[in-house]
Amino acid sequence: ELTLPREGGASTLLAMATALRGTDGEYGGAVVVFDDLTELLRAQRLAAWREVARRLAHEIKNPLTPIQLSAERIARNFRRASVDENGAASTQARQGNGQEAERERVARVVEECTTTISREVEGLKSMVDEFTRFARLPHARLEPADLNEVVRQAVSLYRERLEDVRMDVLLAPALPGALLDTEQIRRVFVNLIDNSVEALAAAGGEQRITVATAHDPARGLLIAEVADTGHGIARHDIARLFQPYFSTRGRGTGLGLAIVQRIMAEHGGRIRAESNRPRGARMIIEFPVAEDARA
């Protein structure tokens, strides 16, 4: 096996050589056949990561519900006990300000702790849900659709939500139809726009996101891109950008772009990352037009 560098990553090739000999047994050369194993190995790694996500989601989710219910029960019973104590205390003289202050302190601690437990459990549940979606993402249900309309639906979710960010939407007129799972493709654009918004928040300066569509008739492709003027992507990170659990932000599950890549693969398309000049990142996705998708 050979691993060769290429733009945006590396290719893994399997080389097999066969000697050629004449009728007299003389060596006459050799035939070398190269098989590109890159996509096969990527698919195997993706399947392994999905199994990890499935097991992780199962192991984490089981104890979360009883933890949350226990915290809520503690808070509920403590509040009820406090109400009963206050009612009883109103009918008799207080035993001292010290006991009352201690009771209030304990009440605050219980309230803060149970609230923290519930909040963190909700966060873990969200993470587990992301693992589950990655492990059990439903197969795409491809139907004739308008890519521009899907983009409009995704962009409309950000209307009046972006304070200092300018969003330019450049849709090519009269795009050919495509076979899309509109819900999944809308999720692709939402994920990419969310990433751009976070990149802009960390970069400062001009804050602009551009969402555009185009048609490449020579290759029979519909092309869409989400570009921003954020901090960009380090060159050495581009090759790992779509690997499960890889994140340049140091938080989150690192599954967003892995899910995007899987959705694009099920649509017969692909996604790649590039630098956006003069600064920022550009995510480019390509779909076959409807006739090519059916084929």
Side-chain angles (χ1 to χ4, degrees):
E1 289 187 13
L2 303 173
T3 300
L4 303 177
R6 66 173 182 178
E7 184 180 358
S11 294
T12 301
L13 306 179
L14 177 64
M16 294 178 290
T18 302
L20 299 178
R21 299 186 181 277
T23 55
D24 56 358
E26 290 285 331
Y27 175 74
V31 174
V32 181
V33 178
F34 292 93
D35 284 335
D36 190 346
L37 304 181
T38 308
E39 294 301 324
L40 175 62
L41 293 176
R42 180 179 295 130
Q44 290 176 342
R45 285 195 297 268
L46 193 61
W49 279 119
R50 283 203 298 269
E51 179 63 17
V52 170
R54 186 188 66 80
R55 291 178 178 272
L56 193 59
H58 177 75
E59 294 299 327
I60 293 177
K61 197 166 189 175
N62 279 345
L64 289 183
T65 298
I67 290 173
Q68 188 173 31
L69 292 177
S70 297
E72 292 173 355
R73 185 179 179 187
I74 290 171
R76 190 167 52 249
N77 280 273
F78 190 84
R79 282 194 294 267
R80 186 183 302 134
S82 296
V83 170
D84 292 343
E85 283 185 10
N86 289 336
S90 63
T91 62
Q92 56 185 338
R94 298 287 186 184
Q95 296 182 3
N97 293 333
Q99 286 186 338
E100 183 64 21
E102 179 65 13
R103 187 181 296 110
E104 291 178 359
R105 187 191 68 80
V106 172
R108 282 197 305 271
V109 170
V110 171
E111 184 68 26
E112 290 175 5
C113 291
T114 53
T115 299
T116 300
I117 292 171
S118 296
R119 183 179 64 247
E120 295 303 319
V121 167
E122 282 299 325
L124 283 173
K125 282 185 173 180
S126 298
M127 184 181 296
V128 169
D129 288 341
E130 191 74 4
F131 289 149
T132 303
R133 280 193 292 269
F134 176 64
R136 300 177 182 174
L137 189 68
H139 291 293
R141 301 173 60 181
L142 304 182
E143 299 175 347
D146 180 1
L147 178 60
N148 280 347
E149 181 58 29
V150 178
V151 172
R152 290 189 193 99
Q153 292 173 7
V155 169
S156 68
L157 299 175
Y158 296 87
R159 191 170 295 132
E160 298 180 359
R161 287 181 52 195
L162 303 178
E163 295 180 357
D164 300 322
V165 177
R166 170 183 167 186
M167 182 177 290
D168 296 331
V169 182
L170 310 175
L171 303 182
L175 280 183
L179 296 180
L180 307 175
D181 184 320
T182 56
E183 183 177 344
Q184 289 194 11
I185 296 303
R186 186 165 55 247
R187 182 178 182 186
V188 166
F189 283 102
V190 168
N191 187 293
L192 297 182
I193 294 173
D194 280 346
N195 287 349
S196 291
V197 171
E198 290 210 18
L200 290 172
E206 181 193 17
Q207 298 193 329
R208 178 163 49 88
I209 298 173
T210 303
V211 184
T213 60
H215 176 215
D216 184 347
R219 294 191 295 158
L221 294 176
L222 299 180
I223 301 172
E225 66 176 48
V226 178
D228 62 63
T229 56
H231 54 67
I233 305 168
R235 189 171 182 179
H236 59 271
D237 285 337
I238 291 180
R240 299 185 294 163
L241 201 58
F242 301 99
Q243 292 180 5
Y245 308 115
F246 174 77
S247 174
T248 59
R249 298 194 299 263
R251 58 185 179 81
T253 62
L255 292 174
L257 289 179
I259 292 175
V260 165
Q261 186 181 55
R262 182 177 170 189
I263 291 173
M264 292 305 303
E266 292 203 345
H267 282 75
R270 68 170 186 151
I271 179 170
R272 68 181 189 275
E274 295 181 354
S275 295
N276 186 35
R277 302 184 186 281
R279 70 170 191 166
R282 183 189 307 270
M283 307 298 291
I284 301 171
I285 55 181
E286 299 174 346
F287 302 88
V289 298
E291 294 78 8
D292 293 337
R294 287 196 185 95

CSV table of all heavy atoms in Angstrom, one decimal, residues 57-99:
chain,number,residue,atom,x,y,z
A,57,ALA,N,-23.6,6.4,22.8
A,57,ALA,CA,-25.0,7.0,23.1
A,57,ALA,C,-25.7,6.0,24.0
A,57,ALA,O,-26.4,6.5,25.0
A,57,ALA,CB,-25.7,7.2,21.8
A,58,HIS,N,-25.7,4.8,23.8
A,58,HIS,CA,-26.4,3.8,24.6
A,58,HIS,C,-25.9,3.8,26.1
A,58,HIS,O,-26.7,3.9,27.0
A,58,HIS,CB,-26.2,2.4,24.0
A,58,HIS,CG,-26.9,1.3,24.9
A,58,HIS,ND1,-28.3,1.1,24.9
A,58,HIS,CD2,-26.4,0.4,25.7
A,58,HIS,CE1,-28.5,0.1,25.7
A,58,HIS,NE2,-27.4,-0.3,26.2
A,59,GLU,N,-24.6,3.8,26.2
A,59,GLU,CA,-24.0,3.8,27.6
A,59,GLU,C,-24.2,5.1,28.4
A,59,GLU,O,-24.4,5.0,29.6
A,59,GLU,CB,-22.5,3.5,27.5
A,59,GLU,CG,-22.2,2.1,26.9
A,59,GLU,CD,-22.7,1.0,27.8
A,59,GLU,OE1,-22.8,1.1,29.0
A,59,GLU,OE2,-23.1,-0.1,27.2
A,60,ILE,N,-24.2,6.2,27.7
A,60,ILE,CA,-24.4,7.5,28.4
A,60,ILE,C,-25.8,7.7,28.7
A,60,ILE,O,-26.2,8.2,29.8
A,60,ILE,CB,-23.8,8.6,27.6
A,60,ILE,CG1,-22.3,8.5,27.5
A,60,ILE,CG2,-24.1,10.0,28.2
A,60,ILE,CD1,-21.6,9.6,26.6
A,61,LYS,N,-26.7,7.4,27.8
A,61,LYS,CA,-28.1,7.8,27.9
A,61,LYS,C,-28.8,7.1,29.0
A,61,LYS,O,-29.7,7.7,29.7
A,61,LYS,CB,-28.9,7.6,26.6
A,61,LYS,CG,-30.2,8.4,26.5
A,61,LYS,CD,-30.7,8.4,25.1
A,61,LYS,CE,-31.9,9.4,25.0
A,61,LYS,NZ,-32.3,9.5,23.6
A,62,ASN,N,-28.5,5.9,29.3
A,62,ASN,CA,-29.2,5.1,30.3
A,62,ASN,C,-29.2,5.7,31.6
A,62,ASN,O,-30.3,5.8,32.3
A,62,ASN,CB,-28.6,3.7,30.4
A,62,ASN,CG,-29.1,2.7,29.3
A,62,ASN,OD1,-30.1,3.0,28.6
A,62,ASN,ND2,-28.4,1.6,29.1
A,63,PRO,N,-28.1,6.2,32.2
A,63,PRO,CA,-28.1,6.8,33.5
A,63,PRO,C,-28.6,8.3,33.6
A,63,PRO,O,-28.9,8.8,34.7
A,63,PRO,CB,-26.7,6.7,34.0
A,63,PRO,CG,-25.9,6.8,32.8
A,63,PRO,CD,-26.7,6.1,31.7
A,64,LEU,N,-28.7,8.9,32.4
A,64,LEU,CA,-29.1,10.3,32.5
A,64,LEU,C,-30.5,10.6,33.0
A,64,LEU,O,-30.7,11.5,33.8
A,64,LEU,CB,-28.9,10.9,31.1
A,64,LEU,CG,-27.5,11.1,30.5
A,64,LEU,CD1,-27.6,11.8,29.1
A,64,LEU,CD2,-26.7,11.9,31.5
A,65,THR,N,-31.4,9.9,32.6
A,65,THR,CA,-32.8,10.1,33.0
A,65,THR,C,-33.0,9.9,34.5
A,65,THR,O,-33.6,10.8,35.2
A,65,THR,CB,-33.8,9.2,32.2
A,65,THR,OG1,-33.7,9.5,30.8
A,65,THR,CG2,-35.2,9.5,32.7
A,66,PRO,N,-32.5,8.8,35.1
A,66,PRO,CA,-32.6,8.7,36.6
A,66,PRO,C,-31.9,9.8,37.3
A,66,PRO,O,-32.3,10.3,38.4
A,66,PRO,CB,-32.1,7.3,36.9
A,66,PRO,CG,-31.4,6.9,35.7
A,66,PRO,CD,-32.0,7.6,34.5
A,67,ILE,N,-30.7,10.3,36.8
A,67,ILE,CA,-30.0,11.4,37.4
A,67,ILE,C,-30.9,12.6,37.4
A,67,ILE,O,-31.0,13.3,38.5
A,67,ILE,CB,-28.7,11.6,36.7
A,67,ILE,CG1,-27.7,10.5,37.0
A,67,ILE,CG2,-28.0,13.0,37.2
A,67,ILE,CD1,-26.4,10.6,36.2
A,68,GLN,N,-31.4,13.0,36.3
A,68,GLN,CA,-32.3,14.2,36.2
A,68,GLN,C,-33.5,14.1,37.1
A,68,GLN,O,-33.9,15.0,37.8
A,68,GLN,CB,-32.7,14.4,34.7
A,68,GLN,CG,-33.4,15.7,34.5
A,68,GLN,CD,-33.6,16.0,33.0
A,68,GLN,OE1,-33.8,15.1,32.3
A,68,GLN,NE2,-33.6,17.3,32.7
A,69,LEU,N,-34.2,12.9,37.0
A,69,LEU,CA,-35.4,12.7,37.9
A,69,LEU,C,-35.0,12.8,39.4
A,69,LEU,O,-35.8,13.4,40.1
A,69,LEU,CB,-36.0,11.4,37.5
A,69,LEU,CG,-36.7,11.3,36.1
A,69,LEU,CD1,-37.2,9.9,35.9
A,69,LEU,CD2,-37.8,12.3,36.0
A,70,SER,N,-33.9,12.3,39.7
A,70,SER,CA,-33.5,12.3,41.2
A,70,SER,C,-33.2,13.8,41.6
A,70,SER,O,-33.7,14.2,42.7
A,70,SER,CB,-32.2,11.5,41.4
A,70,SER,OG,-32.5,10.1,41.1
A,71,ALA,N,-32.6,14.6,40.7
A,71,ALA,CA,-32.3,15.9,41.1
A,71,ALA,C,-33.6,16.7,41.2
A,71,ALA,O,-33.8,17.5,42.2
A,71,ALA,CB,-31.4,16.6,40.0
A,72,GLU,N,-34.5,16.5,40.3
A,72,GLU,CA,-35.8,17.2,40.3
A,72,GLU,C,-36.6,16.8,41.6
A,72,GLU,O,-37.3,17.6,42.2
A,72,GLU,CB,-36.6,16.9,39.1
A,72,GLU,CG,-36.0,17.5,37.8
A,72,GLU,CD,-36.7,17.1,36.6
A,72,GLU,OE1,-37.6,16.2,36.7
A,72,GLU,OE2,-36.3,17.6,35.5
A,73,ARG,N,-36.5,15.5,42.0
A,73,ARG,CA,-37.2,15.0,43.1
A,73,ARG,C,-36.7,15.6,44.4
A,73,ARG,O,-37.4,16.0,45.3
A,73,ARG,CB,-37.2,13.5,43.2
A,73,ARG,CG,-38.0,12.9,44.3
A,73,ARG,CD,-37.9,11.4,44.3
A,73,ARG,NE,-38.6,10.8,45.4
A,73,ARG,CZ,-38.6,9.5,45.7
A,73,ARG,NH1,-37.8,8.7,45.0
A,73,ARG,NH2,-39.3,9.0,46.7
A,74,ILE,N,-35.3,15.7,44.5
A,74,ILE,CA,-34.7,16.4,45.7
A,74,ILE,C,-35.2,17.8,45.8
A,74,ILE,O,-35.6,18.3,46.9
A,74,ILE,CB,-33.2,16.3,45.5
A,74,ILE,CG1,-32.7,14.9,45.7
A,74,ILE,CG2,-32.5,17.2,46.6
A,74,ILE,CD1,-31.2,14.7,45.3
A,75,ALA,N,-35.1,18.6,44.7
A,75,ALA,CA,-35.5,20.0,44.7
A,75,ALA,C,-37.0,20.1,45.1
A,75,ALA,O,-37.4,21.0,46.0
A,75,ALA,CB,-35.3,20.6,43.4
A,76,ARG,N,-37.9,19.2,44.6
A,76,ARG,CA,-39.3,19.3,44.8
A,76,ARG,C,-39.6,19.0,46.3
A,76,ARG,O,-40.4,19.8,47.0
A,76,ARG,CB,-40.0,18.4,43.9
A,76,ARG,CG,-41.6,18.5,44.0
A,76,ARG,CD,-42.2,17.8,42.8
A,76,ARG,NE,-41.8,16.4,42.7
A,76,ARG,CZ,-41.0,15.9,41.8
A,76,ARG,NH1,-40.5,16.7,40.8
A,76,ARG,NH2,-40.7,14.6,41.8
A,77,ASN,N,-39.0,18.0,46.8
A,77,ASN,CA,-39.2,17.6,48.2
A,77,ASN,C,-38.6,18.6,49.2
A,77,ASN,O,-39.2,18.9,50.3
A,77,ASN,CB,-38.7,16.2,48.5
A,77,ASN,CG,-39.6,15.1,48.0
A,77,ASN,OD1,-40.5,14.6,48.7
A,77,ASN,ND2,-39.3,14.6,46.8
A,78,PHE,N,-37.5,19.2,48.9
A,78,PHE,CA,-36.9,20.2,49.7
A,78,PHE,C,-37.7,21.4,49.8
A,78,PHE,O,-37.9,22.0,50.9
A,78,PHE,CB,-35.5,20.5,49.3
A,78,PHE,CG,-34.7,21.3,50.3
A,78,PHE,CD1,-34.1,20.7,51.3
A,78,PHE,CD2,-34.7,22.7,50.2
A,78,PHE,CE1,-33.4,21.5,52.3
A,78,PHE,CE2,-34.0,23.5,51.1
A,78,PHE,CZ,-33.3,22.9,52.1
A,79,ARG,N,-38.3,21.8,48.6
A,79,ARG,CA,-39.1,23.0,48.6
A,79,ARG,C,-40.4,22.8,49.5
A,79,ARG,O,-40.9,23.6,50.2
A,79,ARG,CB,-39.5,23.4,47.2
A,79,ARG,CG,-38.4,24.1,46.4
A,79,ARG,CD,-38.9,24.8,45.2
A,79,ARG,NE,-39.3,23.7,44.2
A,79,ARG,CZ,-38.6,23.2,43.3
A,79,ARG,NH1,-37.3,23.6,43.2
A,79,ARG,NH2,-39.0,22.4,42.4
A,80,ARG,N,-41.0,21.6,49.3
A,80,ARG,CA,-42.2,21.2,50.1
A,80,ARG,C,-41.9,21.2,51.6
A,80,ARG,O,-42.6,21.8,52.4
A,80,ARG,CB,-42.7,19.9,49.7
A,80,ARG,CG,-44.0,19.5,50.3
A,80,ARG,CD,-44.5,18.1,49.9
A,80,ARG,NE,-44.6,18.0,48.4
A,80,ARG,CZ,-44.1,17.0,47.7
A,80,ARG,NH1,-43.4,16.0,48.3
A,80,ARG,NH2,-44.3,17.0,46.4
A,81,ALA,N,-40.7,20.7,52.0
A,81,ALA,CA,-40.3,20.6,53.4
A,81,ALA,C,-40.1,22.1,53.9
A,81,ALA,O,-40.5,22.4,55.1
A,81,ALA,CB,-39.1,19.8,53.6
A,82,SER,N,-39.5,22.9,53.1
A,82,SER,CA,-39.3,24.3,53.5
A,82,SER,C,-40.6,25.0,53.8
A,82,SER,O,-40.7,25.8,54.7
A,82,SER,CB,-38.4,25.0,52.5
A,82,SER,OG,-37.2,24.4,52.4
A,83,VAL,N,-41.6,24.8,52.9
A,83,VAL,CA,-42.9,25.5,53.1
A,83,VAL,C,-43.5,25.0,54.3
A,83,VAL,O,-44.1,25.8,55.1
A,83,VAL,CB,-43.8,25.2,51.8
A,83,VAL,CG1,-45.2,25.6,52.1
A,83,VAL,CG2,-43.2,25.9,50.6
A,84,ASP,N,-43.5,23.7,54.6
A,84,ASP,CA,-44.1,23.2,55.8
A,84,ASP,C,-43.4,23.7,57.1
A,84,ASP,O,-44.0,24.1,58.1
A,84,ASP,CB,-44.0,21.6,55.9
A,84,ASP,CG,-44.8,21.0,54.8
A,84,ASP,OD1,-45.7,21.7,54.3
A,84,ASP,OD2,-44.6,19.8,54.4
A,85,GLU,N,-42.0,23.8,57.0
A,85,GLU,CA,-41.3,24.4,58.2
A,85,GLU,C,-41.7,25.8,58.4
A,85,GLU,O,-41.8,26.3,59.6
A,85,GLU,CB,-39.8,24.2,58.0
A,85,GLU,CG,-39.3,22.8,58.2
A,85,GLU,CD,-37.8,22.7,58.0
A,85,GLU,OE1,-37.1,23.8,58.0
A,85,GLU,OE2,-37.2,21.6,58.0
A,86,ASN,N,-41.8,26.6,57.3
A,86,ASN,CA,-42.1,28.0,57.5
A,86,ASN,C,-43.5,28.2,58.1
A,86,ASN,O,-43.7,29.1,58.9
A,86,ASN,CB,-42.0,28.7,56.1
A,86,ASN,CG,-40.5,28.8,55.7
A,86,ASN,OD1,-39.6,28.8,56.5
A,86,ASN,ND2,-40.3,29.0,54.4
A,87,GLY,N,-44.4,27.3,57.6
A,87,GLY,CA,-45.8,27.4,58.2
A,87,GLY,C,-45.8,27.1,59.7
A,87,GLY,O,-46.5,27.7,60.4
A,88,ALA,N,-45.0,26.0,60.1
A,88,ALA,CA,-45.0,25.7,61.5
A,88,ALA,C,-44.3,26.8,62.3
A,88,ALA,O,-44.7,27.1,63.4
A,88,ALA,CB,-44.3,24.3,61.7
A,89,ALA,N,-43.2,27.3,61.7
A,89,ALA,CA,-42.5,28.4,62.5
A,89,ALA,C,-43.3,29.6,62.7
A,89,ALA,O,-43.1,30.3,63.6
A,89,ALA,CB,-41.2,28.7,61.7
A,90,SER,N,-44.2,29.9,61.8
A,90,SER,CA,-45.0,31.1,62.0
A,90,SER,C,-45.9,31.1,63.2
A,90,SER,O,-46.4,32.1,63.6
A,90,SER,CB,-45.9,31.4,60.7
A,90,SER,OG,-46.8,30.3,60.5
A,91,THR,N,-46.2,29.9,63.7
A,91,THR,CA,-47.1,29.7,64.8
A,91,THR,C,-46.3,29.7,66.2
A,91,THR,O,-47.0,29.6,67.2
A,91,THR,CB,-47.9,28.4,64.7
A,91,THR,OG1,-47.0,27.3,64.7
A,91,THR,CG2,-48.7,28.5,63.4
A,92,GLN,N,-45.0,29.8,66.1
A,92,GLN,CA,-44.2,29.7,67.3
A,92,GLN,C,-43.0,30.7,67.2
A,92,GLN,O,-42.7,31.1,66.1
A,92,GLN,CB,-43.8,28.3,67.6
A,92,GLN,CG,-43.0,27.7,66.5
A,92,GLN,CD,-42.6,26.2,66.8
A,92,GLN,OE1,-42.6,25.8,68.0
A,92,GLN,NE2,-42.4,25.5,65.8
A,93,ALA,N,-42.5,31.0,68.2
A,93,ALA,CA,-41.3,31.9,68.2
A,93,ALA,C,-40.1,31.3,67.5
A,93,ALA,O,-39.9,30.1,67.6
A,93,ALA,CB,-41.0,32.3,69.7
A,94,ARG,N,-39.4,32.1,66.9
A,94,ARG,CA,-38.2,31.7,66.2
A,94,ARG,C,-37.1,31.3,67.3
A,94,ARG,O,-37.1,31.9,68.3
A,94,ARG,CB,-37.6,32.8,65.4
A,94,ARG,CG,-38.5,33.2,64.2
A,94,ARG,CD,-38.6,32.2,63.2
A,94,ARG,NE,-39.4,32.7,62.0
A,94,ARG,CZ,-39.7,32.0,61.0
A,94,ARG,NH1,-39.3,30.7,60.9
A,94,ARG,NH2,-40.4,32.4,60.0
A,95,GLN,N,-36.4,30.2,67.0
A,95,GLN,CA,-35.4,29.8,67.9
A,95,GLN,C,-34.1,30.5,67.8
A,95,GLN,O,-33.1,30.3,68.5
A,95,GLN,CB,-35.1,28.3,67.7
A,95,GLN,CG,-36.3,27.4,68.0
A,95,GLN,CD,-36.0,25.9,67.9
A,95,GLN,OE1,-34.9,25.5,67.6
A,95,GLN,NE2,-37.0,25.1,68.1
A,96,GLY,N,-34.0,31.4,66.9
A,96,GLY,CA,-32.8,32.3,66.7
A,96,GLY,C,-32.5,32.5,65.3
A,96,GLY,O,-32.9,31.8,64.4
A,97,ASN,N,-31.9,33.7,65.1
A,97,ASN,CA,-31.6,34.1,63.7
A,97,ASN,C,-30.6,33.1,63.1
A,97,ASN,O,-30.5,33.0,61.8
A,97,ASN,CB,-31.1,35.5,63.7
A,97,ASN,CG,-32.2,36.5,64.0
A,97,ASN,OD1,-33.3,36.2,63.8
A,97,ASN,ND2,-31.8,37.6,64.6
A,98,GLY,N,-29.7,32.5,63.9
A,98,GLY,CA,-28.7,31.6,63.3
A,98,GLY,C,-29.3,30.4,62.6
A,98,GLY,O,-28.8,30.1,61.5
A,99,GLN,N,-30.3,29.8,63.2
A,99,GLN,CA,-30.9,28.6,62.5
A,99,GLN,C,-31.6,29.0,61.3
A,99,GLN,O,-31.5,28.3,60.3
A,99,GLN,CB,-31.9,28.0,63.5
A,99,GLN,CG,-31.2,27.2,64.6
A,99,GLN,CD,-32.3,26.4,65.5
A,99,GLN,OE1,-33.4,26.8,65.5
A,99,GLN,NE2,-31.8,25.4,66.1
